[in-house]
Amino acid sequence: MELFSKKNKEIFLSPLGLNNPVSVQVLGICSALAVTSKLEPALVMGLSVVIITAFSNVIISLLRKTIPNRIRIIVQLVVVATLVTIVSQVLKAFVYDVSVQLSVYVGLIITNCILMGRLEAFALQNGPWESLLDGIGSGLGYALILVIVAFFREFLGSGSLLGFQVIPQCLYDAGYINNGLMVLPPMALIIMACIIWYQRAKNPELQEKSN
């Protein structure tokens, strides 16, 4: 089927690997570092970006032939800001505690380079279905990095995952101590650097692109 052609699969899967928006394109780093001390807010933030990126891509793709070039950035910002406001209100209504943890970072999705980059580079030149796949793929690529970083930070820093204690009490009784450095912001940057190093070491073609 054309909907699931090889090209469309590549559009969807590319951001999850060799064209990851965070680890390869180095976009959206600030929020990726800011909300990853715990796994739960990282998951919510990642899901929020997936939803906003997917819907904004589709909307801009549908409007692409009617948007005057001179105001396209304004239109994109209006679409993204509207979606961000809706998502923010939904989070406050249903997961208020998490929305408090995310603080201003949900609102800052409006300025996330990943969203504006995909709207400019993809949605304005492609149809709604391809734009939907690109939006979901890019959002999932972003969320994947957040989840990996948050997993290690919460597990090693607090001994828990999603708020549940996973390191047995007997280990603490035997002298095990949580790594307090993991909950500090610099460790997010270090873990992110390790992910980037691993990905580039495993895929030499990424090193050639950066040179």
Side-chain angles (χ1 to χ4, degrees):
M1 294 177 62
E2 182 63 28
L3 290 178
F4 300 100
S5 64
K6 183 178 180 181
K7 178 183 176 182
N8 287 341
K9 289 180 180 178
E10 177 65 21
I11 290 173
F12 176 75
L13 295 175
S14 177
L16 298 175
L18 296 180
N19 198 29
N20 187 280
V22 181
S23 62
V24 177
Q25 300 177 34
V26 197
L27 300 175
I29 289 289
C30 294
S31 58
L33 299 179
V35 302
T36 54
S37 60
K38 299 288 183 181
L39 190 54
E40 186 178 21
L43 283 169
V44 173
M45 184 68 167
L47 180 60
S48 299
V49 171
V50 170
I51 293 172
I52 294 169
T53 307
F55 279 97
S56 61
N57 260 21
V58 171
I59 294 170
I60 294 300
S61 177
L62 290 170
L63 298 175
R64 69 187 189 282
K65 295 182 180 179
T66 62
I67 302 175
N69 187 59
R70 65 182 181 277
I71 62 168
R72 72 185 191 283
I73 300 296
I74 297 175
V75 174
Q76 292 170 19
L77 286 173
V78 169
V79 170
V80 173
T82 302
L83 292 171
V84 168
T85 301
I86 294 172
V87 168
S88 178
Q89 294 305 310
V90 170
L91 292 178
K92 288 179 180 178
F94 295 100
V95 282
Y96 181 76
D97 291 341
V98 177
S99 71
V100 171
Q101 292 181 57
L102 292 174
S103 184
V104 299
Y105 295 105
V106 173
L108 289 176
I109 292 176
I110 297 172
T111 60
N112 194 309
C113 300
I114 297 171
L115 272 80
M116 300 306 295
R118 298 326 297 163
L119 294 177
E120 275 286 299
F122 198 92
L124 284 174
Q125 284 83 38
N126 293 274
W129 175 248
E130 292 83 0
S131 297
L132 175 64
L133 293 177
D134 178 78
I136 295 175
S138 296
L140 287 175
Y142 171 85
L144 176 64
I145 300 299
L146 259 66
V147 168
I148 293 174
V149 174
F151 174 87
F152 285 106
R153 291 186 70 191
E154 183 175 1
F155 178 70
L156 297 175
S158 304
S160 61
L161 289 174
L162 294 174
F164 297 99
Q165 196 69 32
V166 294
I167 295 181
Q169 183 60 40
C170 61
L171 290 181
Y172 291 103
D173 295 338
Y176 177 81
I177 300 176
N178 291 326
N179 187 341
L181 288 175
M182 280 292 172
V183 299
L184 299 178
M187 288 309 301
L189 187 61
I190 292 173
I191 296 174
M192 187 81 69
C194 291
I195 295 173
I196 294 174
W197 169 80
Y198 173 79
Q199 190 173 28
R200 290 176 183 265
K202 188 176 179 181
N203 301 282
E205 60 269 32
L206 293 179
Q207 300 180 28
E208 295 175 3
K209 289 182 181 179
S210 62
N211 292 333

